[in-house]
Amino acid sequence: MSDSTVPPAPQGPAARTGDALRRMTARSRDEEHRASTPLELFFDLCFVVAVAQAGGRLVHAIADGHPGHGVSGYLTLFFAIWWAWMNFSWFASAYDTDDVPYRVTTLVQIVGVLLLAAGVPRAFDDGDFRLVAIGYAVMRLALVTQWLRAAQAARGEDEAGARTTAVRYAIGVTLCQVGWLALLLPYGAPPAWAFLVMAAAELAVPPLAERTEPTSWHPHHIAERYGLFTIIVLGESVSAATVAVQSAVDEHSALGDLLPIAAGGLLIVFSAWWIYFAVPIHDYLASNREAFLWGYGHYAVFTSAAAIGAGLEIAVEQAVGSAHVSTRAATWSVTVPAAAFLFTVWLLHSRHSKHGMAQQLTLPVAALGVLACTWTGTHGVLWAGFVCAGAVVVGVSLQTREYV
């Protein structure tokens, strides 16, 4: 049979199904129908545990009157959660082979996620970061093996750039991990300056590694992955607020005091979802410069989205007298993350597709309006929900008028 009669090899995830071992070569950035795999979705869901733990400790710290400790601990631990998730997602976008070694290594990373989540209460309450450090090490060193496998597969002369990039990633991640273990295992809680130095070192690895040749991450796939994780953290906010309302009603029967908080919280979360997914972003992710700034900026998007749920829990506890904070402080715990979410989504997403001053100012003005709701008394959360819903209505109206 001649070569012309041989059917072309299948492409994409379907071609890899059932293969026990494949050569880990870079996937094409132009691959069609690139979507999240079941393993990636499972990976994301396991991160819910860690996000819930961090949000839960934030609630307890603020409700007990220790907002500084709660916020700093939350931001520190969420960095580890976010950074491990982000590194996996970008690697998978470029190199996902979906074979047995890849799947097993990803499952090992999930074990690291669960160890980190189990260590969150001890890190928050006692400043003991050892279990968090061990879980983080499991996730990161498993990723190193993936990069080494990608480097080993890039054997041809035309793949020298890809091999260099993979080796740089492996070295950079390993050095950072050694630094974290040296910092956390002997001493527990790191000084603030040491954490900032190590976080900066982590953030520097991808730009340095891809300086010569970028990885072949897929814009549609990356946009989808970030969108799915946004849904997860917003869903965690809904879950946390629902449990808080249920517990308050069971223990205090204060349904009348909680309905405005529940209604405002739902309006905020629904509006957050609508605003984030109002426009597609994949066309903007044309190069590493835009993509890295966009991806790094999502630290603020994810932390604020998850913190909305924590804030709603605090508002519920304050309404029934279980939190040692004022009404204004409880409202702050909702309005600040909600305003941060609106502004950062505008900065990363919306401003690239808006036309005219009115469209550009809608979300920044709404963010200021949400903050102003802090001073509206006991119904501040409800008013903040109305402002968020109003931003959606205005945005849809302006966009509709543009195309009429």
Side-chain angles (χ1 to χ4, degrees), residues 127-209:
D128 184 354
F129 281 76
R130 286 176 293 183
L131 188 54
V132 168
I134 292 171
Y136 189 69
V138 171
M139 288 187 287
R140 303 295 283 153
L141 294 178
L143 182 64
V144 169
T145 67
Q146 299 277 47
W147 280 116
L148 290 175
R149 187 181 172 201
Q152 189 275 334
R155 296 188 293 266
E157 292 184 4
D158 58 336
E159 298 175 302
R163 182 168 59 252
T164 299
T165 298
V167 170
R168 286 176 177 173
Y169 263 113
I171 293 174
V173 173
T174 300
L175 290 176
C176 287
Q177 192 53 57
V178 170
W180 283 118
L181 292 176
L183 181 66
L184 296 177
L185 288 183
Y187 306 111
W193 66 266
F195 170 80
L196 293 176
V197 169
M198 288 304 306
E202 291 271 24
L203 295 174
V205 170
L208 291 176

Coordinates of all heavy atoms in Angstrom, one line a residue, residues 127-209:
G127 N 1.1 29.2 63.3 CA 2.3 29.6 62.6 C 3.2 28.4 62.2 O 4.3 28.6 61.9
D128 N 2.6 27.2 62.2 CA 3.4 26.0 61.8 C 3.1 25.7 60.3 O 2.1 25.1 60.0 CB 3.0 24.9 62.7 CG 3.8 23.6 62.5 OD1 4.6 23.6 61.5 OD2 3.6 22.6 63.2
F129 N 4.0 26.0 59.5 CA 3.9 25.8 58.0 C 4.5 24.5 57.5 O 4.6 24.3 56.3 CB 4.5 27.0 57.3 CG 3.6 28.2 57.3 CD1 3.5 29.0 58.4 CD2 2.9 28.6 56.1 CE1 2.8 30.2 58.4 CE2 2.2 29.7 56.1 CZ 2.1 30.5 57.2
R130 N 4.9 23.7 58.4 CA 5.6 22.5 58.0 C 4.8 21.6 57.1 O 5.3 21.1 56.1 CB 6.2 21.7 59.2 CG 7.4 22.4 59.9 CD 7.8 21.7 61.1 NE 6.8 21.8 62.2 CZ 7.0 21.3 63.4 NH1 8.1 20.6 63.7 NH2 6.1 21.4 64.3
L131 N 3.6 21.3 57.5 CA 2.8 20.4 56.6 C 2.4 21.1 55.3 O 2.4 20.5 54.2 CB 1.5 20.0 57.4 CG 0.6 19.0 56.7 CD1 1.4 17.7 56.4 CD2 -0.6 18.6 57.6
V132 N 2.2 22.4 55.4 CA 2.0 23.2 54.1 C 3.2 23.1 53.2 O 3.1 22.9 52.0 CB 1.6 24.6 54.4 CG1 1.7 25.5 53.2 CG2 0.3 24.8 55.1
A133 N 4.4 23.2 53.8 CA 5.6 23.1 53.0 C 5.8 21.8 52.4 O 6.2 21.6 51.3 CB 6.8 23.5 53.9
I134 N 5.4 20.7 53.1 CA 5.6 19.4 52.6 C 4.6 19.2 51.4 O 5.0 18.6 50.4 CB 5.3 18.3 53.7 CG1 6.5 18.4 54.7 CG2 5.2 16.9 53.1 CD1 6.2 17.5 56.0
G135 N 3.4 19.6 51.6 CA 2.4 19.4 50.5 C 2.8 20.2 49.3 O 2.7 19.8 48.2
Y136 N 3.3 21.5 49.5 CA 3.7 22.3 48.4 C 4.9 21.6 47.7 O 5.0 21.7 46.5 CB 4.1 23.7 48.9 CG 4.4 24.7 47.9 CD1 3.4 25.2 47.1 CD2 5.7 25.2 47.7 CE1 3.7 26.1 46.1 CE2 6.0 26.1 46.7 CZ 5.0 26.6 45.9 OH 5.2 27.5 45.0
A137 N 5.8 21.0 48.5 CA 7.0 20.3 47.9 C 6.6 19.2 47.0 O 7.1 18.9 45.9 CB 7.9 19.9 49.0
V138 N 5.6 18.4 47.5 CA 5.1 17.3 46.7 C 4.5 17.8 45.3 O 4.9 17.2 44.3 CB 4.0 16.5 47.5 CG1 3.3 15.5 46.6 CG2 4.6 15.9 48.7
M139 N 3.8 18.9 45.4 CA 3.2 19.4 44.1 C 4.3 19.9 43.2 O 4.3 19.6 42.0 CB 2.3 20.5 44.4 CG 0.9 20.1 45.0 SD -0.2 21.5 45.2 CE 0.5 22.4 46.5
R140 N 5.2 20.6 43.7 CA 6.2 21.3 42.9 C 7.3 20.3 42.4 O 7.7 20.4 41.2 CB 6.9 22.4 43.7 CG 6.0 23.4 44.2 CD 5.3 24.2 43.1 NE 6.2 25.2 42.6 CZ 6.1 25.6 41.3 NH1 5.2 25.2 40.5 NH2 7.0 26.6 40.9
L141 N 7.7 19.4 43.2 CA 8.7 18.4 42.7 C 8.1 17.4 41.7 O 8.8 17.0 40.8 CB 9.4 17.7 43.9 CG 10.2 18.6 44.9 CD1 10.7 17.8 46.0 CD2 11.3 19.3 44.1
A142 N 6.8 17.1 41.9 CA 6.2 16.3 40.8 C 6.2 17.1 39.5 O 6.4 16.5 38.4 CB 4.8 16.0 41.3
L143 N 6.0 18.4 39.6 CA 6.0 19.2 38.3 C 7.4 19.2 37.7 O 7.6 19.1 36.5 CB 5.6 20.6 38.6 CG 5.5 21.5 37.4 CD1 4.5 21.0 36.4 CD2 5.2 23.0 37.8
V144 N 8.5 19.2 38.6 CA 9.8 19.1 38.1 C 10.0 17.8 37.2 O 10.7 17.9 36.2 CB 10.8 19.2 39.2 CG1 12.2 18.8 38.7 CG2 10.8 20.5 39.9
T145 N 9.5 16.7 37.7 CA 9.7 15.5 36.9 C 9.0 15.6 35.5 O 9.5 15.0 34.5 CB 9.1 14.3 37.6 OG1 7.7 14.4 37.8 CG2 9.7 14.2 39.0
Q146 N 7.9 16.3 35.5 CA 7.2 16.6 34.2 C 8.1 17.4 33.2 O 8.2 17.1 32.1 CB 5.9 17.3 34.4 CG 4.9 16.5 35.2 CD 4.1 15.5 34.5 OE1 4.7 14.7 33.7 NE2 2.8 15.5 34.7
W147 N 8.7 18.4 33.8 CA 9.6 19.3 33.0 C 10.8 18.5 32.5 O 11.3 18.6 31.4 CB 10.0 20.5 33.7 CG 9.0 21.6 33.7 CD1 8.4 22.1 34.8 CD2 8.5 22.3 32.6 NE1 7.5 23.1 34.5 CE2 7.6 23.2 33.1 CE3 8.8 22.3 31.2 CZ2 6.9 24.1 32.3 CZ3 8.1 23.1 30.4 CH2 7.1 24.0 30.9
L148 N 11.4 17.6 33.4 CA 12.5 16.8 33.0 C 12.1 15.8 31.9 O 12.9 15.5 31.0 CB 13.1 16.1 34.2 CG 13.8 16.9 35.2 CD1 14.2 16.1 36.4 CD2 15.0 17.6 34.6
R149 N 10.9 15.3 32.0 CA 10.4 14.4 30.9 C 10.3 15.1 29.6 O 10.6 14.6 28.5 CB 9.1 13.8 31.4 CG 8.6 12.7 30.4 CD 7.3 12.1 30.9 NE 6.8 11.2 29.8 CZ 5.5 10.9 29.7 NH1 4.6 11.4 30.6 NH2 5.1 10.1 28.7
A150 N 9.8 16.4 29.6 CA 9.7 17.2 28.4 C 11.0 17.5 27.8 O 11.2 17.5 26.6 CB 8.9 18.4 28.7
A151 N 12.0 17.7 28.7 CA 13.4 18.0 28.2 C 14.0 16.8 27.6 O 14.7 16.9 26.6 CB 14.3 18.5 29.4
Q152 N 13.8 15.6 28.2 CA 14.3 14.4 27.6 C 13.7 14.1 26.3 O 14.4 13.5 25.4 CB 14.1 13.3 28.6 CG 14.8 12.0 28.3 CD 14.0 11.1 27.3 OE1 12.7 11.2 27.3 NE2 14.7 10.2 26.6
A153 N 12.4 14.4 26.1 CA 11.8 14.1 24.8 C 12.3 15.0 23.7 O 12.1 14.7 22.5 CB 10.3 14.2 25.0
A154 N 12.8 16.2 24.0 CA 13.2 17.2 23.0 C 14.6 16.9 22.6 O 15.6 17.5 23.0 CB 13.1 18.6 23.5
R155 N 14.8 15.9 21.8 CA 16.1 15.4 21.4 C 16.7 15.9 20.1 O 17.9 15.9 19.9 CB 16.1 13.9 21.4 CG 15.8 13.2 22.7 CD 16.0 11.7 22.6 NE 15.1 11.1 21.7 CZ 13.9 10.5 22.2 NH1 13.6 10.5 23.5 NH2 13.1 10.0 21.3
G156 N 15.8 16.4 19.2 CA 16.3 16.8 17.9 C 16.9 18.2 17.9 O 16.8 19.0 18.9
E157 N 17.7 18.4 16.9 CA 18.4 19.7 16.8 C 17.4 20.9 16.7 O 17.6 22.0 17.3 CB 19.3 19.8 15.6 CG 20.5 18.8 15.7 CD 21.4 19.0 14.5 OE1 21.1 19.9 13.6 OE2 22.4 18.2 14.4
D158 N 16.2 20.6 16.1 CA 15.2 21.7 16.0 C 14.4 21.9 17.3 O 13.6 22.8 17.4 CB 14.2 21.3 14.8 CG 13.6 20.0 15.0 OD1 14.1 19.1 15.7 OD2 12.5 19.8 14.5
E159 N 14.7 21.0 18.3 CA 14.0 21.1 19.5 C 14.9 21.6 20.7 O 14.6 21.5 21.8 CB 13.4 19.8 19.9 CG 12.4 19.2 19.0 CD 11.9 17.8 19.3 OE1 12.8 16.9 19.4 OE2 10.7 17.7 19.6
A160 N 16.1 22.1 20.3 CA 17.0 22.6 21.3 C 16.4 23.7 22.2 O 16.7 23.7 23.4 CB 18.3 23.1 20.6
G161 N 15.7 24.6 21.6 CA 15.1 25.7 22.3 C 14.1 25.2 23.4 O 14.0 25.6 24.5
A162 N 13.2 24.2 22.9 CA 12.3 23.6 23.9 C 12.9 22.9 25.0 O 12.5 22.9 26.1 CB 11.3 22.7 23.1
R163 N 14.1 22.2 24.7 CA 14.8 21.5 25.7 C 15.4 22.5 26.7 O 15.3 22.2 27.9 CB 15.9 20.7 25.1 CG 16.7 19.8 26.1 CD 17.6 18.8 25.4 NE 18.5 19.4 24.5 CZ 18.5 19.4 23.2 NH1 17.5 18.7 22.6 NH2 19.4 19.9 22.4
T164 N 15.9 23.6 26.2 CA 16.5 24.6 27.1 C 15.4 25.2 28.1 O 15.6 25.3 29.3 CB 17.1 25.7 26.3 OG1 18.2 25.2 25.5 CG2 17.7 26.8 27.2
T165 N 14.3 25.5 27.5 CA 13.2 26.0 28.3 C 12.8 25.0 29.4 O 12.6 25.4 30.6 CB 12.0 26.3 27.4 OG1 12.3 27.3 26.4 CG2 10.8 26.8 28.2
A166 N 12.6 23.8 29.0 CA 12.2 22.8 30.0 C 13.2 22.6 31.1 O 12.9 22.5 32.3 CB 11.9 21.4 29.3
V167 N 14.5 22.6 30.8 CA 15.6 22.4 31.8 C 15.6 23.7 32.7 O 15.7 23.5 33.9 CB 16.9 22.2 31.1 CG1 18.0 22.3 32.1 CG2 17.0 20.9 30.4
R168 N 15.4 24.8 32.1 CA 15.4 26.0 33.0 C 14.2 26.0 34.0 O 14.3 26.4 35.1 CB 15.2 27.3 32.1 CG 16.5 27.7 31.3 CD 16.2 28.8 30.4 NE 17.4 29.3 29.7 CZ 17.5 30.2 28.8 NH1 16.3 30.8 28.4 NH2 18.6 30.6 28.2
Y169 N 13.1 25.5 33.5 CA 11.9 25.4 34.4 C 12.3 24.4 35.5 O 12.0 24.7 36.7 CB 10.7 24.9 33.6 CG 9.7 26.0 33.2 CD1 9.6 26.3 31.9 CD2 9.0 26.7 34.2 CE1 8.7 27.3 31.5 CE2 8.1 27.7 33.8 CZ 7.9 27.9 32.4 OH 7.1 28.9 32.0
A170 N 12.8 23.3 35.2 CA 13.1 22.2 36.2 C 14.1 22.8 37.2 O 13.9 22.6 38.4 CB 13.7 21.0 35.5
I171 N 15.1 23.5 36.8 CA 16.1 24.1 37.7 C 15.5 25.2 38.5 O 15.7 25.2 39.8 CB 17.3 24.6 36.9 CG1 18.1 23.4 36.2 CG2 18.3 25.4 37.8 CD1 19.2 23.9 35.3
G172 N 14.8 26.0 37.9 CA 14.2 27.2 38.6 C 13.2 26.7 39.7 O 13.2 27.2 40.9
V173 N 12.3 25.8 39.4 CA 11.3 25.3 40.3 C 12.1 24.5 41.5 O 11.7 24.7 42.7 CB 10.3 24.3 39.6 CG1 9.4 23.7 40.7 CG2 9.5 25.1 38.7
T174 N 13.1 23.8 41.1 CA 13.8 23.0 42.2 C 14.5 24.0 43.1 O 14.4 23.8 44.4 CB 14.8 22.1 41.5 OG1 14.2 21.2 40.7 CG2 15.6 21.3 42.6
L175 N 15.2 25.0 42.6 CA 15.9 26.0 43.5 C 14.9 26.7 44.4 O 15.2 26.9 45.6 CB 16.7 27.0 42.6 CG 17.9 26.4 41.9 CD1 18.5 27.5 41.0 CD2 18.9 25.9 42.9
C176 N 13.8 27.1 43.8 CA 12.8 27.8 44.7 C 12.2 26.8 45.8 O 12.0 27.2 46.9 CB 11.6 28.3 43.8 SG 12.0 29.7 42.8
Q177 N 12.0 25.6 45.4 CA 11.5 24.6 46.4 C 12.5 24.4 47.5 O 12.1 24.3 48.7 CB 11.2 23.3 45.7 CG 10.4 22.4 46.6 CD 9.2 23.0 47.1 OE1 8.3 23.6 46.4 NE2 9.0 23.1 48.4
V178 N 13.8 24.3 47.2 CA 14.8 24.2 48.2 C 14.8 25.4 49.1 O 14.9 25.2 50.4 CB 16.2 24.0 47.5 CG1 17.3 24.1 48.6 CG2 16.3 22.7 46.8
G179 N 14.6 26.6 48.5 CA 14.5 27.8 49.4 C 13.3 27.7 50.3 O 13.5 28.1 51.5
W180 N 12.2 27.3 49.8 CA 11.0 27.2 50.7 C 11.2 26.2 51.8 O 10.8 26.5 53.0 CB 9.8 26.8 49.9 CG 9.1 27.9 49.0 CD1 9.0 27.9 47.7 CD2 8.5 29.1 49.5 NE1 8.4 29.0 47.2 CE2 8.1 29.8 48.3 CE3 8.3 29.7 50.7 CZ2 7.4 31.0 48.4 CZ3 7.7 30.9 50.8 CH2 7.3 31.6 49.6
L181 N 11.7 25.1 51.5 CA 11.9 24.1 52.6 C 12.9 24.5 53.6 O 12.7 24.3 54.8 CB 12.4 22.7 51.9 CG 11.3 22.0 51.1 CD1 11.9 20.8 50.4 CD2 10.1 21.6 51.9
A182 N 14.0 25.2 53.1 CA 15.0 25.7 54.1 C 14.4 26.8 55.0 O 14.8 27.0 56.1 CB 16.2 26.3 53.3
L183 N 13.4 27.5 54.4 CA 12.8 28.6 55.2 C 11.7 28.2 56.1 O 11.6 28.7 57.2 CB 12.2 29.6 54.1 CG 11.5 30.9 54.7 CD1 12.5 31.8 55.4 CD2 10.8 31.6 53.6
L184 N 10.9 27.2 55.7 CA 9.7 26.8 56.4 C 9.9 25.6 57.4 O 9.3 25.6 58.5 CB 8.6 26.5 55.5 CG 8.1 27.6 54.6 CD1 7.0 27.2 53.6 CD2 7.5 28.8 55.4
L185 N 10.6 24.6 57.0 CA 10.7 23.4 57.9 C 11.3 23.7 59.2 O 10.8 23.3 60.2 CB 11.4 22.3 57.1 CG 10.6 21.7 56.0 CD1 11.4 20.5 55.4 CD2 9.3 21.2 56.5
P186 N 12.5 24.4 59.3 CA 13.1 24.6 60.6 C 12.4 25.7 61.5 O 12.4 25.6 62.7 CB 14.5 25.1 60.3 CG 14.7 24.8 58.8 CD 13.4 24.9 58.2
Y187 N 11.8 26.7 60.8 CA 11.4 27.9 61.6 C 9.9 28.1 61.6 O 9.4 29.0 62.3 CB 12.0 29.1 61.0 CG 13.5 29.0 60.8 CD1 14.2 29.0 59.6 CD2 14.3 29.0 62.0 CE1 15.5 28.8 59.5 CE2 15.7 28.9 61.9 CZ 16.3 28.8 60.7 OH 17.7 28.7 60.6
G188 N 9.1 27.3 60.9 CA 7.7 27.5 60.9 C 7.2 28.7 60.1 O 7.4 28.7 58.9
A189 N 6.7 29.7 60.7 CA 6.2 30.9 60.0 C 7.4 31.7 59.5 O 8.3 32.1 60.3 CB 5.3 31.7 60.9
P190 N 7.4 32.1 58.2 CA 8.5 32.8 57.7 C 8.3 34.3 58.0 O 7.2 34.8 58.1 CB 8.5 32.6 56.2 CG 7.0 32.4 55.9 CD 6.5 31.7 57.2
P191 N 9.4 35.1 58.1 CA 9.2 36.6 58.1 C 8.6 37.1 56.8 O 8.8 36.5 55.8 CB 10.7 37.1 58.3 CG 11.5 35.9 58.7 CD 10.8 34.7 58.1
A192 N 8.0 38.2 57.0 CA 7.3 38.7 55.8 C 8.2 39.0 54.6 O 7.9 38.7 53.5 CB 6.5 40.0 56.2
W193 N 9.4 39.6 55.0 CA 10.4 39.9 53.9 C 10.8 38.6 53.2 O 11.0 38.6 52.0 CB 11.6 40.7 54.5 CG 12.4 39.9 55.4 CD1 12.3 39.8 56.8 CD2 13.5 39.0 55.1 NE1 13.3 39.0 57.3 CE2 14.0 38.5 56.3 CE3 14.1 38.6 53.9 CZ2 15.1 37.6 56.3 CZ3 15.1 37.7 53.9 CH2 15.6 37.2 55.1
A194 N 11.0 37.5 53.9 CA 11.5 36.3 53.3 C 10.5 35.7 52.4 O 10.8 35.2 51.3 CB 11.9 35.3 54.4
F195 N 9.2 35.8 52.8 CA 8.1 35.3 52.0 C 8.1 36.1 50.7 O 7.9 35.5 49.6 CB 6.8 35.4 52.7 CG 5.6 35.1 51.8 CD1 5.2 33.8 51.4 CD2 4.9 36.2 51.2 CE1 4.2 33.6 50.6 CE2 3.8 35.9 50.4 CZ 3.5 34.6 50.0
L196 N 8.2 37.4 50.8 CA 8.1 38.2 49.6 C 9.3 37.9 48.6 O 9.1 37.9 47.4 CB 8.1 39.7 50.0 CG 6.9 40.2 50.7 CD1 7.0 41.6 51.1 CD2 5.7 40.0 49.8
V197 N 10.5 37.7 49.2 CA 11.6 37.3 48.3 C 11.4 36.0 47.6 O 11.6 35.9 46.4 CB 12.9 37.3 49.2 CG1 14.1 36.7 48.4 CG2 13.3 38.7 49.7
M198 N 10.9 35.0 48.3 CA 10.7 33.7 47.7 C 9.6 33.8 46.7 O 9.6 33.1 45.6 CB 10.4 32.7 48.8 CG 11.6 32.3 49.6 SD 13.0 31.7 48.6 CE 12.2 30.4 47.6
A199 N 8.5 34.5 47.0 CA 7.4 34.7 46.1 C 7.9 35.3 44.8 O 7.5 34.9 43.7 CB 6.3 35.5 46.7
A200 N 8.7 36.4 44.9 CA 9.3 37.1 43.7 C 10.1 36.1 42.9 O 10.1 36.1 41.7 CB 10.1 38.3 44.2
A201 N 10.9 35.2 43.6 CA 11.7 34.3 42.9 C 10.8 33.3 42.1 O 11.1 32.9 40.9 CB 12.6 33.5 43.9
E202 N 9.7 32.8 42.7 CA 8.8 31.9 42.0 C 8.2 32.6 40.8 O 8.2 32.0 39.7 CB 7.7 31.5 42.9 CG 8.1 30.6 44.1 CD 8.0 29.1 43.7 OE1 8.0 28.8 42.5 OE2 7.8 28.3 44.6
L203 N 7.8 33.9 40.9 CA 7.2 34.6 39.8 C 8.2 34.8 38.7 O 7.8 35.0 37.5 CB 6.6 35.9 40.3 CG 5.5 35.9 41.3 CD1 5.1 37.2 41.8 CD2 4.2 35.2 40.7
A204 N 9.5 34.9 39.0 CA 10.5 35.1 38.0 C 10.8 33.9 37.1 O 11.4 34.1 36.0 CB 11.8 35.7 38.7
V205 N 10.5 32.7 37.6 CA 10.9 31.5 36.9 C 10.3 31.4 35.5 O 11.1 31.2 34.5 CB 10.6 30.2 37.7 CG1 10.8 29.0 36.9 CG2 11.4 30.2 39.0
P206 N 9.0 31.6 35.3 CA 8.5 31.5 33.9 C 9.1 32.5 32.9 O 9.5 32.1 31.8 CB 7.0 31.6 34.1 CG 6.7 31.2 35.5 CD 7.9 31.7 36.3
P207 N 9.2 33.8 33.2 CA 9.8 34.7 32.2 C 11.2 34.3 31.9 O 11.6 34.5 30.8 CB 9.6 36.1 32.9 CG 8.5 35.9 33.9 CD 8.6 34.5 34.4
L208 N 12.0 33.9 32.9 CA 13.4 33.6 32.7 C 13.5 32.3 31.9 O 14.3 32.2 31.0 CB 14.1 33.4 34.0 CG 14.3 34.7 34.8 CD1 15.0 34.4 36.1 CD2 15.2 35.7 34.0
A209 N 12.6 31.3 32.2 CA 12.7 30.0 31.5 C 12.3 30.2 30.0 O 12.9 29.5 29.2 CB 11.8 29.0 32.2

